[in-house]
Amino acid sequence: MNIQNLARENVRLLTPYQSARRIGGNGSVWLNANEYPEATAYQLTEQNLNRYPECQPVQVIQRYAAYAGIKPEQLIVSRGADESIELLMRAFCEPNKDAVLYCPPTYGMYSVSAETLGIERRIVNSKKDWQLDLPAIKEALNGVKLVYVCSPNNPTGNLINPDDIRELLAMTAGRALVVVDEAYIEFCPKASVVSWLSQYPNLVVLRTLSKAFALAGLRCGFALASEEIINLLLKVIAPYPLSTPVADIAAQALSDQGIATMRQRVIELNARRDQLIKTLSACTCVTDVYPSETNYLLFKLTDSEAAFKTLWDQGIILRDQNKQPGLKGCLRISIGTQAECDAVTDVLQTF
Ligand SMILES: *Cc1c(COP(=O)(O)O)cnc(C)c1O
């Protein structure tokens, strides 16, 4: 029996998401997944696991809504922002008929989710300055139901011009949703478009606890949108998407104390990032360090492959961005602890 032939054709052809964990490496310094470098301790307050959890844990919803400045009805909590990326496709895109549009270089899961579900991918590369190519997007909108815009963008670190997002929202009004992925917005909170939700019925904002909240291992993310959109997503989400311990810890992370701790982390990480920009720029093997509003930096080297391998062999794992359009010679580094950043610059200074 040929199991391969039984599988769906698009799954046979699929290249799975190359997550930092899948790529592997024998690292001691992990700077390839934009995680927070140190763990916060949590206590489980809910010890009973014999019952199913709430589908949408009320305390998590209420606290996140208060944090984001929206109504609890405008929010769904999911197994990471990644699940929300896919829920939107499942709720809005007919396989083999509708399309999703996104603008590389950008986050890889928009593509992987669409491919898995058999939804057409409409790819419009961003301009040289990593801003949206609005005329090209306009030309490509036929049959598109979802436009994913990552701001600040992963892996480039820049914000998308708010005026361009407004133009995109107007251009797609009545025919497609604009999904603004704000996974890193805590590092530049003023840039959030969440307050636009009341003006634009076709806007969706994605958020996560994986980055500034230092909880990548928890798997907890959110989609913020109109109540009508949220109700459609609630139809297709799994009956128990978050386990009881996840809801318990997420609620603690979203307490006043938890949010204050996150904000303190952001201040420290942003300062360390700005210092790392200077140190990397002074390395002769580095030709460009791009501005960043996030907890990572994209930088260009004279020989990125050799630098990547030299660091890798010393257990320092960065993220190679060579394969993304326009990013030849570029690596991405997550801002780690001071010691981890020093380990990288020590190698690159003598490289
Ligand atoms: C990390 C990341 C996510 C995924 O977040 P999870 O909540 O961990 O699934 C989504 N979008 C972008 C741009 C990311 O970098």
PDB file of all heavy atoms in Angstrom, residues 162-184:
ATOM      1  N   PRO A 162       1.717  53.483   8.353  1.00  0.00           N
ATOM      2  CA  PRO A 162       0.295  53.433   8.703  1.00  0.00           C
ATOM      3  C   PRO A 162      -0.604  53.965   7.583  1.00  0.00           C
ATOM      4  O   PRO A 162      -1.698  53.438   7.362  1.00  0.00           O
ATOM      5  CB  PRO A 162       0.194  54.276   9.974  1.00  0.00           C
ATOM      6  CG  PRO A 162       1.522  54.912  10.177  1.00  0.00           C
ATOM      7  CD  PRO A 162       2.518  54.194   9.354  1.00  0.00           C
ATOM      8  N   ASP A 163      -0.144  54.985   6.864  1.00  0.00           N
ATOM      9  CA  ASP A 163      -0.973  55.505   5.766  1.00  0.00           C
ATOM     10  C   ASP A 163      -1.180  54.446   4.696  1.00  0.00           C
ATOM     11  O   ASP A 163      -2.238  54.387   4.058  1.00  0.00           O
ATOM     12  CB  ASP A 163      -0.330  56.749   5.145  1.00  0.00           C
ATOM     13  CG  ASP A 163      -0.397  57.929   6.093  1.00  0.00           C
ATOM     14  OD1 ASP A 163      -1.202  57.876   7.049  1.00  0.00           O
ATOM     15  OD2 ASP A 163       0.345  58.909   5.878  1.00  0.00           O
ATOM     16  N   ASP A 164      -0.163  53.615   4.469  1.00  0.00           N
ATOM     17  CA  ASP A 164      -0.294  52.542   3.478  1.00  0.00           C
ATOM     18  C   ASP A 164      -1.288  51.489   3.959  1.00  0.00           C
ATOM     19  O   ASP A 164      -2.039  50.922   3.163  1.00  0.00           O
ATOM     20  CB  ASP A 164       1.063  51.881   3.216  1.00  0.00           C
ATOM     21  CG  ASP A 164       2.002  52.783   2.441  1.00  0.00           C
ATOM     22  OD1 ASP A 164       1.573  53.889   2.031  1.00  0.00           O
ATOM     23  OD2 ASP A 164       3.169  52.401   2.242  1.00  0.00           O
ATOM     24  N   ILE A 165      -1.275  51.201   5.264  1.00  0.00           N
ATOM     25  CA  ILE A 165      -2.244  50.223   5.794  1.00  0.00           C
ATOM     26  C   ILE A 165      -3.658  50.775   5.635  1.00  0.00           C
ATOM     27  O   ILE A 165      -4.579  50.062   5.238  1.00  0.00           O
ATOM     28  CB  ILE A 165      -1.933  49.864   7.265  1.00  0.00           C
ATOM     29  CG1 ILE A 165      -0.527  49.247   7.385  1.00  0.00           C
ATOM     30  CG2 ILE A 165      -2.978  48.878   7.807  1.00  0.00           C
ATOM     31  CD1 ILE A 165      -0.111  48.897   8.801  1.00  0.00           C
ATOM     32  N   ARG A 166      -3.828  52.070   5.881  1.00  0.00           N
ATOM     33  CA  ARG A 166      -5.152  52.686   5.674  1.00  0.00           C
ATOM     34  C   ARG A 166      -5.581  52.588   4.216  1.00  0.00           C
ATOM     35  O   ARG A 166      -6.739  52.277   3.920  1.00  0.00           O
ATOM     36  CB  ARG A 166      -5.124  54.164   6.096  1.00  0.00           C
ATOM     37  CG  ARG A 166      -5.153  54.364   7.597  1.00  0.00           C
ATOM     38  CD  ARG A 166      -5.499  55.817   7.922  1.00  0.00           C
ATOM     39  NE  ARG A 166      -5.264  56.120   9.318  1.00  0.00           N
ATOM     40  CZ  ARG A 166      -6.160  55.950  10.290  1.00  0.00           C
ATOM     41  NH1 ARG A 166      -7.364  55.468  10.002  1.00  0.00           N
ATOM     42  NH2 ARG A 166      -5.872  56.259  11.533  1.00  0.00           N
ATOM     43  N   GLU A 167      -4.637  52.827   3.316  1.00  0.00           N
ATOM     44  CA  GLU A 167      -4.978  52.751   1.890  1.00  0.00           C
ATOM     45  C   GLU A 167      -5.365  51.318   1.513  1.00  0.00           C
ATOM     46  O   GLU A 167      -6.311  51.094   0.759  1.00  0.00           O
ATOM     47  CB  GLU A 167      -3.788  53.230   1.054  1.00  0.00           C
ATOM     48  CG  GLU A 167      -4.211  53.698  -0.324  1.00  0.00           C
ATOM     49  CD  GLU A 167      -3.078  54.364  -1.095  1.00  0.00           C
ATOM     50  OE1 GLU A 167      -2.258  55.082  -0.478  1.00  0.00           O
ATOM     51  OE2 GLU A 167      -3.016  54.136  -2.317  1.00  0.00           O
ATOM     52  N   LEU A 168      -4.626  50.361   2.083  1.00  0.00           N
ATOM     53  CA  LEU A 168      -4.935  48.955   1.827  1.00  0.00           C
ATOM     54  C   LEU A 168      -6.323  48.593   2.358  1.00  0.00           C
ATOM     55  O   LEU A 168      -7.092  47.876   1.703  1.00  0.00           O
ATOM     56  CB  LEU A 168      -3.857  48.089   2.483  1.00  0.00           C
ATOM     57  CG  LEU A 168      -3.962  46.588   2.306  1.00  0.00           C
ATOM     58  CD1 LEU A 168      -3.810  46.202   0.838  1.00  0.00           C
ATOM     59  CD2 LEU A 168      -2.877  45.889   3.142  1.00  0.00           C
ATOM     60  N   LEU A 169      -6.651  49.092   3.547  1.00  0.00           N
ATOM     61  CA  LEU A 169      -7.970  48.825   4.125  1.00  0.00           C
ATOM     62  C   LEU A 169      -9.073  49.406   3.244  1.00  0.00           C
ATOM     63  O   LEU A 169     -10.126  48.776   3.053  1.00  0.00           O
ATOM     64  CB  LEU A 169      -8.048  49.410   5.542  1.00  0.00           C
ATOM     65  CG  LEU A 169      -7.336  48.596   6.622  1.00  0.00           C
ATOM     66  CD1 LEU A 169      -7.023  49.469   7.840  1.00  0.00           C
ATOM     67  CD2 LEU A 169      -8.182  47.395   7.042  1.00  0.00           C
ATOM     68  N   ALA A 170      -8.831  50.581   2.684  1.00  0.00           N
ATOM     69  CA  ALA A 170      -9.829  51.205   1.814  1.00  0.00           C
ATOM     70  C   ALA A 170      -9.945  50.428   0.502  1.00  0.00           C
ATOM     71  O   ALA A 170     -11.043  50.165   0.006  1.00  0.00           O
ATOM     72  CB  ALA A 170      -9.441  52.657   1.546  1.00  0.00           C
ATOM     73  N   MET A 171      -8.805  50.040  -0.030  1.00  0.00           N
ATOM     74  CA  MET A 171      -8.749  49.312  -1.307  1.00  0.00           C
ATOM     75  C   MET A 171      -9.481  47.962  -1.229  1.00  0.00           C
ATOM     76  O   MET A 171     -10.045  47.492  -2.206  1.00  0.00           O
ATOM     77  CB  MET A 171      -7.258  49.071  -1.596  1.00  0.00           C
ATOM     78  CG  MET A 171      -6.889  48.567  -2.945  1.00  0.00           C
ATOM     79  SD  MET A 171      -5.132  48.095  -2.920  1.00  0.00           S
ATOM     80  CE  MET A 171      -4.302  49.666  -2.820  1.00  0.00           C
ATOM     81  N   THR A 172      -9.441  47.330  -0.046  1.00  0.00           N
ATOM     82  CA  THR A 172     -10.003  45.991   0.119  1.00  0.00           C
ATOM     83  C   THR A 172     -11.399  46.019   0.746  1.00  0.00           C
ATOM     84  O   THR A 172     -12.010  44.959   0.935  1.00  0.00           O
ATOM     85  CB  THR A 172      -9.096  45.137   1.021  1.00  0.00           C
ATOM     86  OG1 THR A 172      -8.868  45.857   2.232  1.00  0.00           O
ATOM     87  CG2 THR A 172      -7.767  44.833   0.352  1.00  0.00           C
ATOM     88  N   ALA A 173     -11.892  47.202   1.084  1.00  0.00           N
ATOM     89  CA  ALA A 173     -13.184  47.320   1.791  1.00  0.00           C
ATOM     90  C   ALA A 173     -14.266  46.552   1.041  1.00  0.00           C
ATOM     91  O   ALA A 173     -14.403  46.673  -0.169  1.00  0.00           O
ATOM     92  CB  ALA A 173     -13.570  48.786   1.933  1.00  0.00           C
ATOM     93  N   GLY A 174     -15.004  45.727   1.777  1.00  0.00           N
ATOM     94  CA  GLY A 174     -16.120  45.005   1.174  1.00  0.00           C
ATOM     95  C   GLY A 174     -15.732  43.742   0.428  1.00  0.00           C
ATOM     96  O   GLY A 174     -16.601  43.003  -0.016  1.00  0.00           O
ATOM     97  N   ARG A 175     -14.424  43.490   0.250  1.00  0.00           N
ATOM     98  CA  ARG A 175     -14.057  42.283  -0.507  1.00  0.00           C
ATOM     99  C   ARG A 175     -13.002  41.412   0.174  1.00  0.00           C
ATOM    100  O   ARG A 175     -12.909  40.218  -0.134  1.00  0.00           O
ATOM    101  CB  ARG A 175     -13.600  42.661  -1.915  1.00  0.00           C
ATOM    102  CG  ARG A 175     -12.454  43.687  -1.916  1.00  0.00           C
ATOM    103  CD  ARG A 175     -12.288  44.329  -3.271  1.00  0.00           C
ATOM    104  NE  ARG A 175     -11.586  43.443  -4.191  1.00  0.00           N
ATOM    105  CZ  ARG A 175     -11.013  43.858  -5.313  1.00  0.00           C
ATOM    106  NH1 ARG A 175     -11.059  45.130  -5.637  1.00  0.00           N
ATOM    107  NH2 ARG A 175     -10.384  43.014  -6.103  1.00  0.00           N
ATOM    108  N   ALA A 176     -12.196  41.985   1.064  1.00  0.00           N
ATOM    109  CA  ALA A 176     -11.150  41.184   1.724  1.00  0.00           C
ATOM    110  C   ALA A 176     -10.856  41.761   3.106  1.00  0.00           C
ATOM    111  O   ALA A 176     -11.098  42.940   3.373  1.00  0.00           O
ATOM    112  CB  ALA A 176      -9.874  41.183   0.880  1.00  0.00           C
ATOM    113  N   LEU A 177     -10.330  40.902   3.978  1.00  0.00           N
ATOM    114  CA  LEU A 177      -9.875  41.354   5.292  1.00  0.00           C
ATOM    115  C   LEU A 177      -8.386  41.665   5.233  1.00  0.00           C
ATOM    116  O   LEU A 177      -7.629  40.981   4.539  1.00  0.00           O
ATOM    117  CB  LEU A 177     -10.103  40.274   6.353  1.00  0.00           C
ATOM    118  CG  LEU A 177     -11.517  39.737   6.556  1.00  0.00           C
ATOM    119  CD1 LEU A 177     -11.528  38.751   7.736  1.00  0.00           C
ATOM    120  CD2 LEU A 177     -12.495  40.873   6.803  1.00  0.00           C
ATOM    121  N   VAL A 178      -7.979  42.685   5.963  1.00  0.00           N
ATOM    122  CA  VAL A 178      -6.557  42.985   6.136  1.00  0.00           C
ATOM    123  C   VAL A 178      -6.169  42.508   7.532  1.00  0.00           C
ATOM    124  O   VAL A 178      -6.749  42.949   8.533  1.00  0.00           O
ATOM    125  CB  VAL A 178      -6.275  44.493   5.979  1.00  0.00           C
ATOM    126  CG1 VAL A 178      -4.819  44.810   6.315  1.00  0.00           C
ATOM    127  CG2 VAL A 178      -6.625  44.949   4.561  1.00  0.00           C
ATOM    128  N   VAL A 179      -5.220  41.572   7.586  1.00  0.00           N
ATOM    129  CA  VAL A 179      -4.808  40.977   8.850  1.00  0.00           C
ATOM    130  C   VAL A 179      -3.440  41.549   9.217  1.00  0.00           C
ATOM    131  O   VAL A 179      -2.439  41.237   8.575  1.00  0.00           O
ATOM    132  CB  VAL A 179      -4.713  39.444   8.725  1.00  0.00           C
ATOM    133  CG1 VAL A 179      -4.365  38.826  10.070  1.00  0.00           C
ATOM    134  CG2 VAL A 179      -6.013  38.864   8.166  1.00  0.00           C
ATOM    135  N   VAL A 180      -3.409  42.420  10.209  1.00  0.00           N
ATOM    136  CA  VAL A 180      -2.141  43.039  10.619  1.00  0.00           C
ATOM    137  C   VAL A 180      -1.555  42.207  11.755  1.00  0.00           C
ATOM    138  O   VAL A 180      -2.131  42.124  12.844  1.00  0.00           O
ATOM    139  CB  VAL A 180      -2.343  44.513  11.033  1.00  0.00           C
ATOM    140  CG1 VAL A 180      -1.015  45.130  11.452  1.00  0.00           C
ATOM    141  CG2 VAL A 180      -2.962  45.313   9.889  1.00  0.00           C
ATOM    142  N   ASP A 181      -0.431  41.571  11.477  1.00  0.00           N
ATOM    143  CA  ASP A 181       0.232  40.697  12.447  1.00  0.00           C
ATOM    144  C   ASP A 181       1.132  41.549  13.336  1.00  0.00           C
ATOM    145  O   ASP A 181       2.180  42.032  12.901  1.00  0.00           O
ATOM    146  CB  ASP A 181       1.032  39.635  11.683  1.00  0.00           C
ATOM    147  CG  ASP A 181       1.640  38.574  12.598  1.00  0.00           C
ATOM    148  OD1 ASP A 181       1.762  38.829  13.817  1.00  0.00           O
ATOM    149  OD2 ASP A 181       1.998  37.500  12.079  1.00  0.00           O
ATOM    150  N   GLU A 182       0.680  41.756  14.579  1.00  0.00           N
ATOM    151  CA  GLU A 182       1.428  42.590  15.530  1.00  0.00           C
ATOM    152  C   GLU A 182       2.131  41.734  16.587  1.00  0.00           C
ATOM    153  O   GLU A 182       2.141  42.077  17.772  1.00  0.00           O
ATOM    154  CB  GLU A 182       0.479  43.597  16.199  1.00  0.00           C
ATOM    155  CG  GLU A 182      -0.087  44.628  15.219  1.00  0.00           C
ATOM    156  CD  GLU A 182      -0.811  45.793  15.908  1.00  0.00           C
ATOM    157  OE1 GLU A 182      -1.257  45.641  17.068  1.00  0.00           O
ATOM    158  OE2 GLU A 182      -0.950  46.850  15.265  1.00  0.00           O
ATOM    159  N   ALA A 183       2.771  40.662  16.156  1.00  0.00           N
ATOM    160  CA  ALA A 183       3.444  39.771  17.112  1.00  0.00           C
ATOM    161  C   ALA A 183       4.493  40.507  17.961  1.00  0.00           C
ATOM    162  O   ALA A 183       4.756  40.117  19.099  1.00  0.00           O
ATOM    163  CB  ALA A 183       4.094  38.597  16.364  1.00  0.00           C
ATOM    164  N   TYR A 184       5.072  41.571  17.404  1.00  0.00           N
ATOM    165  CA  TYR A 184       6.173  42.280  18.097  1.00  0.00           C
ATOM    166  C   TYR A 184       5.767  43.661  18.572  1.00  0.00           C
ATOM    167  O   TYR A 184       6.618  44.490  18.890  1.00  0.00           O
ATOM    168  CB  TYR A 184       7.381  42.384  17.161  1.00  0.00           C
ATOM    169  CG  TYR A 184       7.892  41.018  16.783  1.00  0.00           C
ATOM    170  CD1 TYR A 184       7.482  40.397  15.611  1.00  0.00           C
ATOM    171  CD2 TYR A 184       8.745  40.310  17.631  1.00  0.00           C
ATOM    172  CE1 TYR A 184       7.906  39.122  15.281  1.00  0.00           C
ATOM    173  CE2 TYR A 184       9.179  39.042  17.312  1.00  0.00           C
ATOM    174  CZ  TYR A 184       8.750  38.454  16.141  1.00  0.00           C
ATOM    175  OH  TYR A 184       9.175  37.185  15.831  1.00  0.00           O
TER     176      TYR A 184
END
